Amino acid sequence: MSLKLGFSFCPNDTFIFYALSRGLTRLGSVDVIMADVEELNNLVIARKLDISKISVGVFPEIYKDYILLDAGSAFGESEAPVVVSKSPISSSEVKELAVPGKHTTAFLLYRRFFGEPEKVIFMRYDRIMHEVKAGRVQAGILIHEGRFTYKEHGLSLVADLGKIWRDNFGELPIPLGGVVLKRELFDIKEQVEEAIRESIRYAEAHSSEVMGFVKRYAQELSDDVVKAHIRAFVNRWTWSMNKDGRRAVEVLLGEGLPTLTV
């Protein structure tokens, strides 16, 4: 039976997992499920995927069934979700907030820094910018490409969650997304991690081929925006979280969880 692999439509995921999804790594053929990251979070909660990209924010709900892999993560050096509004407002004025999912790291970061807003509206990440721009919701958290392009859509920055993280935690990277593997498949952990790295190497060596796939699913079609997104979130932490990355996850989630891997 093929492994069930889940990843999202965002450019860093489609870039990272292209070769793996095409059976071009040591794992061979896999069954691919592409979905919005919150859909992936819920599929993992239901134990329906063997390997999947997740929001780091969901890990406390799934760690008994999944381990967090060393490869494939999305950590920001300084880039992270942003909170935007149609007209300039301060963070203290936000009463109504559109959020890309209950389990997303973006929502966890917001609550960590600002607490729970009076009214939360959950919606798919690719609807939030449009709803804020139309004035149907006061403010929203933007992830994926939207965090790079909101100014072009006439929106105002309320809060840059990456800057706030840096102000609070210094040089620790910002843990946004990770890749998990079912604990019962621990014996193939290293094989899966190396397959992810193989997939990244393939993408870097075949950029024209891979970019066609990336842009098919991208929220923004500008080459510059898509490439900026990939540069921001496919980085040294994607190759290996190492001890600093794991420390960042512990800082975000709290240190009460058992070890992140075993």
Side-chain angles (χ1 to χ4, degrees):
M1 181 184 297
S2 295
L3 294 167
K4 292 183 179 179
L5 166 70
F7 60 93
S8 81
F9 306 111
C10 72
N12 57 299
D13 277 7
T14 47
F15 182 86
I16 290 168
F17 292 106
Y18 173 81
L20 209 160
S21 71
R22 293 294 191 270
L24 301 174
T25 73
R26 66 188 63 199
L27 290 184
S29 178
V30 295
D31 291 333
V32 174
I33 294 89
M34 292 184 67
D36 161 58
V37 69
E38 183 69 349
E39 294 175 65
L40 295 175
N41 291 336
N42 287 320
L43 287 170
V44 170
I45 289 170
R47 300 191 78 256
K48 292 185 177 180
L49 298 173
D50 298 311
I51 309 163
S52 185
K53 186 69 174 288
I54 59 156
S55 300
V56 170
V58 79
F59 193 67
E61 294 191 41
I62 64 168
Y63 73 87
K64 292 181 180 178
D65 295 315
Y66 288 85
I67 56 174
L68 189 62
L69 297 181
D70 188 55
S73 296
F75 280 67
E77 297 278 0
S78 58
E79 295 85 357
V82 294
V83 183
V84 300
S85 60
K86 184 176 182 180
S87 302
I89 58 173
S90 67
S91 56
S92 63
E93 294 177 279
V94 174
K95 307 300 180 187
E96 180 185 65
L97 184 70
V99 172
K102 174 183 176 182
H103 303 100
T104 58
T105 312
F107 190 34
L108 176 59
L109 284 167
Y110 184 92
R111 298 197 311 274
R112 177 75 176 264
F113 298 133
F114 301 113
E116 191 91 17
E118 288 184 12
K119 183 177 182 180
V120 178
I121 304 170
F122 295 114
M123 64 179 67
R124 262 183 65 114
Y125 73 96
D126 51 359
R127 287 182 51 210
I128 292 176
M129 187 184 299
H130 304 293
E131 295 299 299
V132 173
K133 188 175 180 179
R136 287 188 285 267
V137 63
Q138 183 191 24
I141 305 178
L142 300 183
I143 61 175
H144 303 335
E145 306 97 301
R147 61 98 48 229
F148 294 98
T149 62
Y150 67 89
K151 291 180 182 177
E152 297 170 18
H153 294 269
L155 299 179
S156 297
L157 180 68
V158 176
D160 183 332
L161 299 179
K163 182 180 185 305
I164 299 172
W165 174 276
R166 284 296 193 184
D167 289 344
N168 281 271
F169 304 116
E171 294 302 310
L172 278 182
I174 309 155
L176 302 170
V179 181
V180 291
L181 174 72
K182 276 186 177 175
R183 286 187 178 273
E184 63 206 54
L185 299 173
F186 181 78
D187 287 348
I188 64 167
K189 172 182 177 290
E190 291 185 7
Q191 185 180 354
V192 174
E193 289 172 340
E194 285 308 308
I196 292 170
R197 295 183 182 111
E198 284 179 49
S199 194
I200 297 170
R201 290 188 192 100
Y202 186 94
E204 292 176 341
H206 302 83
S207 59
S208 296
E209 173 188 345
V210 175
M211 284 300 291
F213 178 72
V214 170
K215 291 186 69 175
R216 186 187 311 169
Y217 298 101
Q219 186 180 3
E220 299 280 349
L221 294 178
S222 161
D223 282 348
D224 289 343
V225 172
V226 171
K227 289 177 181 178
H229 185 103
I230 293 169
R231 284 195 302 271
F233 299 113
V234 182
N235 51 36
R236 57 182 168 144
W237 311 104
T238 311
W239 287 95
S240 172
M241 280 197 299
N242 69 49
K243 64 179 183 179
D244 289 338
R246 293 185 182 279
R247 177 60 183 155
V249 173
E250 290 169 352
V251 166
L252 176 65
L253 300 181
E255 299 184 21
L257 287 177
T259 176
L260 295 174
T261 54
V262 184

